[in-house]
Amino acid sequence: MDMKPNFSLKLLIDEEQNKVVLAETCKDFADVLCSLLTLPMGTIVRLLEKHQNPQSSSIVGCFHNLYKSVLDMDIDNFKTPGCKNLLMYPRSMQESHCRKLKLNVDDTEATKFFVCPNFVSVESCCKVYSNISTSRCSCGNSMTREFQVEDGEQDKVDGVFLSCRTSFIITDDMKVAVNSMGHVLNVLNDLGYSGFDKLQEMVIDVGLEEVLTLLGCLFTSDAPLTDTFLRNHCMEMKPKVLTPLVQESRVAGEVNDVTTLKVYVRKSDKVILYAECREEFVDFLFTFLVIPLGFAWELSVDHLNMGCVGNLRRSVKELRFEQRRESTEPKCMLPYYYSFFTQLLDVVIQETPEYECLVSRRSYNSSRLSKNIKKSVLADGERVAKLTPMVTSDSASTGLVKGETNFIVSDDLVVTAMNSSSTISLLSKLQMNISDIEEQVISIGKAQAISLLRASLITTSALSNGLSNFLSKIKLKEASTTTFKIPKSEKIL
């Protein structure tokens, strides 16, 4: 990725306090800020760790542990290698938009489309495509012939996420607004400045390194611009206490409890030490890595004080073009190949995309797929082939990890398959009185799912902070055992 500066940013600085008061920027940089909200949480973790920030493991709550659990988990515990890849490099519905940015911080490889080498010669081989080259066609061949997909929005010229032709003002706490003299005066007045006598202008170059530092500071700092451009580092996340925890009555659209989760609790302080679960609950936890940052914040019910993420998200929503956009689009849509166990988080799954390709008797007339090919362009001997995605376990339609597997989940969301860990070793590490450990069950519904996500974002004890409020007085032997089964999300009609 190009490491050269991509933008020039004008900062207004209070030198006496060593603080950025505000920044004036072009639409292209504001577009990049908007794109940060579309990044999947797993991508954010990977980018921050790749950025080699020594404190990156404490920036995003338990998400670093959750992501590392995917990396460390044996490939044999996943249904296919492609399933693990979908979590290591999660895909975004905004992928094509982000590739139009002047600086795209997401280095995830573009989604690819493959067909069978017998695409032309065999009728049954020209009906499906796959996003994974290792998929096998019904004829037995690997689907290795790569196609490009035409971008249906090439006529969009005025920006990527922002449609207005103007510059923008960004305050130190990441509030973004359209540039105007009145707005600048209001910001200065609100901060107690009567003039510019204590302020100095500074023009700086901004590239990938600075944007990644800013991304980390969004989670931990009340002054991300100052910490990024004057101090050049991210603060460590301060410990937060969730009070009160999410209550079921506060969650709109509550569904019935859909599972019971076995947990091991330290009776003296109600700390949840570990949970034992089957593959379905692990699939559910792994969805945390796939959802975008903006939605994770929105879903936190009372909108967590998660650094300055909220200020950026609210600013984007308040802009007029964003309001029009959100009126017709769901809050969170995931690509169709993530159609697994997402009901609890109100995630909408993309409708299965169909494509067309122009084919002649002898060869492909084009190596591109299109949403719609005009039939008037057909020449003699040409036809339009309609392709739908291959339905395989690679698409995660039935989950990511293999069935009939037991897992252990620690309080800080380290997920381990029980076939590769020692229960005796885990218990011995606790160094505590066995009589102080109690088995309990927790009923998991929408409220508990959101509470767990909420705690995962800002604490390093997700199970305790997210689920302790829902601990049951019922002992395990008194509870009826059930298996974890979340209904699949309905696809868009």
Side-chain angles (χ1 to χ4, degrees):
M1 186 177 289
D2 189 3
M3 302 297 289
K4 296 180 180 178
N6 296 79
F7 309 97
S8 290
L9 200 63
K10 181 179 289 187
L11 304 180
L12 192 60
I13 297 174
D14 185 329
E15 291 187 323
E16 184 176 323
Q17 299 186 42
N18 192 33
K19 175 181 176 62
V20 174
V21 177
L22 55 82
E24 187 176 41
T25 183
C26 62
K27 173 173 60 61
D28 290 335
F29 183 72
D31 258 338
V32 172
L33 294 182
C34 292
S35 75
L36 300 182
L37 296 169
T38 74
L39 293 175
M41 292 302 302
T43 298
I44 291 175
V45 171
R46 177 171 54 80
L47 290 175
L48 292 180
E49 291 182 347
K50 188 177 180 180
H51 188 42
Q52 295 183 337
N53 189 314
Q55 298 169 329
S56 64
S57 61
S58 61
I59 288 179
V60 196
C62 293
F63 273 79
H64 293 271
N65 286 340
L66 195 59
Y67 186 81
K68 191 174 187 301
S69 296
V70 173
L71 295 181
D72 294 344
M73 191 172 291
D74 194 287
I75 194 70
D76 186 57
N77 289 310
F78 292 90
K79 291 188 174 180
T80 69
C83 288
K84 182 172 183 176
N85 190 70
L86 286 175
L87 294 172
M88 291 172 58
Y89 302 95
R91 305 291 177 171
S92 167
M93 288 297 298
Q94 302 298 326
E95 174 185 319
S96 61
H97 294 297
C98 290
R99 295 192 183 282
K100 300 174 186 176
L101 295 167
K102 189 173 181 181
L103 172 62
N104 180 21
V105 300
D106 186 359
D107 59 358
T108 303
E109 189 178 49
T111 300
K112 295 183 177 181
F113 296 79
F114 300 93
V115 298
C116 178
N118 295 331
F119 183 84
V120 175
S121 57
V122 180
E123 179 69 21
S124 61
C125 297
C126 66
K127 296 181 179 180
V128 296
Y129 69 86
S130 175
N131 299 116
I132 303 173
S133 61
T134 56
S135 298
R136 288 199 175 275
C137 179
S138 58
C139 70
N141 286 325
S142 295
M143 302 178 71
T144 55
R145 178 65 162 88
E146 184 176 357
F147 270 48
Q148 300 297 317
V149 174
E150 291 182 357
D151 188 347
E153 300 186 8
Q154 290 180 340
D155 56 345
K156 185 176 181 179
V157 294
D158 292 334
V160 180
F161 296 100
L162 308 181
S163 59
C164 45
R165 291 176 174 270
T166 184
S167 56
F168 291 82
I169 294 296
I170 309 169
T171 58
D172 198 17
D173 57 356
M174 298 307 294
K175 295 175 182 176
V176 184
V178 173
N179 193 1
S180 73
M181 187 176 295
H183 179 68
V184 172
L185 292 175
N186 287 336
V187 170
L188 294 178
N189 185 62
D190 290 343
L191 293 175
Y193 294 101
S194 58
F196 285 78
D197 52 314
K198 296 182 179 180
L199 304 177
Q200 296 292 329
E201 290 186 23
M202 176 189 294
V203 178
I204 62 171
D205 291 327
V206 178
L208 176 64
E209 289 295 309
E210 291 78 14
V211 173
L212 289 179
T213 300
L214 181 60
L215 174 61
C217 290
L218 276 179
F219 291 92
T220 61
S221 174
D222 294 327
L225 294 185
T226 294
D227 285 336
T228 299
F229 300 117
L230 299 185
R231 298 168 186 161
N232 195 31
H233 74 279
C234 296
M235 300 167 56
E236 186 173 354
M237 177 176 282
K238 299 176 182 178
K240 293 183 174 67
V241 178
L242 300 181
T243 53
L245 293 174
V246 175
Q247 301 292 329
E248 289 190 51
S249 60
R250 297 177 57 195
V251 182
E254 178 66 75
V255 296
N256 295 329
D257 295 339
V258 293
T259 188
T260 54
L261 183 67
K262 184 195 299 184
V263 296
Y264 294 87
V265 184
R266 189 163 59 207
K267 291 185 289 185
S268 56
D269 55 9
K270 288 189 176 182
V271 169
I272 298 177
L273 304 171
Y274 292 99
E276 284 185 6
C277 61
R278 294 297 292 271
E279 68 278 359
E280 295 90 350
F281 186 72
V282 173
D283 277 328
F284 163 69
L285 285 181
F286 285 165
T287 63
F288 289 5
L289 298 173
V290 179
I291 60 175
L293 170 59
F295 179 66
W297 180 83
E298 290 275 0
L299 198 60
S300 298
V301 184
D302 56 357
H303 302 328
L304 298 171
N305 182 21
M306 189 168 59
C308 289
V309 174
N311 287 342
L312 179 59
R313 178 59 181 150
R314 280 186 289 264
S315 296
V316 172
K317 288 185 68 175
E318 288 170 2
L319 294 174
R320 186 173 58 185
F321 64 86
E322 180 70 6
Q323 292 172 352
R324 292 201 305 266
R325 195 179 186 88
E326 291 204 347
S327 64
T328 59
E329 294 185 1
K331 286 186 176 180
C332 180
M333 180 184 291
L334 298 181
Y336 71 94
Y337 34 78
Y338 288 113
S339 57
F340 62 98
F341 305 119
T342 52
Q343 186 71 21
L344 288 183
L345 295 180
D346 287 337
V347 173
V348 177
I349 301 300
Q350 175 194 25
E351 184 178 359
T352 303
E354 297 183 355
Y355 292 96
E356 296 181 345
C357 180
L358 198 59
V359 182
S360 66
R361 290 193 183 98
R362 297 181 179 179
S363 64
Y364 315 99
N365 197 31
S366 169
S367 290
R368 301 184 72 86
L369 300 178
S370 177
K371 284 289 187 181
N372 186 23
I373 295 177
K374 295 181 179 179
K375 305 305 183 287
S376 59
V377 303
L378 293 179
D380 290 341
E382 291 182 336
R383 61 185 175 85
V384 174
K386 294 183 178 293
L387 296 92
T388 57
M390 173 176 284
V391 179
T392 68
S393 57
D394 284 2
S395 64
S397 59
T398 57
L400 294 172
V401 296
K402 287 182 178 178
E404 304 301 320
T405 307
N406 292 329
F407 292 87
I408 291 180
V409 182
S410 66
D411 194 12
D412 55 356
L413 295 193
V414 175
V415 181
T416 311
M418 291 187 72
N419 58 13
S420 61
S421 64
S422 170
T423 304
I424 297 175
S425 296
L426 290 175
L427 290 173
S428 63
K429 287 179 181 178
L430 293 177
Q431 295 291 311
M432 59 179 292
N433 192 330
I434 294 177
S435 64
D436 195 27
I437 301 176
E438 181 181 46
E439 292 182 356
Q440 288 200 25
V441 292
I442 298 178
S443 296
I444 303 293
K446 183 176 179 180
Q448 291 79 9
I450 292 177
S451 184
L452 185 56
L453 170 65
R454 181 176 182 252
S456 303
L457 287 166
I458 64 171
T459 77
T460 55
S461 301
L463 295 183
S464 294
N465 282 284
L467 298 179
S468 289
N469 201 47
F470 302 101
L471 280 174
S472 171
K473 299 296 184 180
I474 304 174
K475 299 289 185 65
L476 185 63
K477 63 181 180 181
E478 299 175 271
S480 60
T481 57
T482 61
T483 57
F484 193 99
K485 188 174 183 181
I486 302 177
K488 294 180 183 179
S489 173
E490 296 181 0
K491 295 184 179 181
I492 300 174
L493 299 178

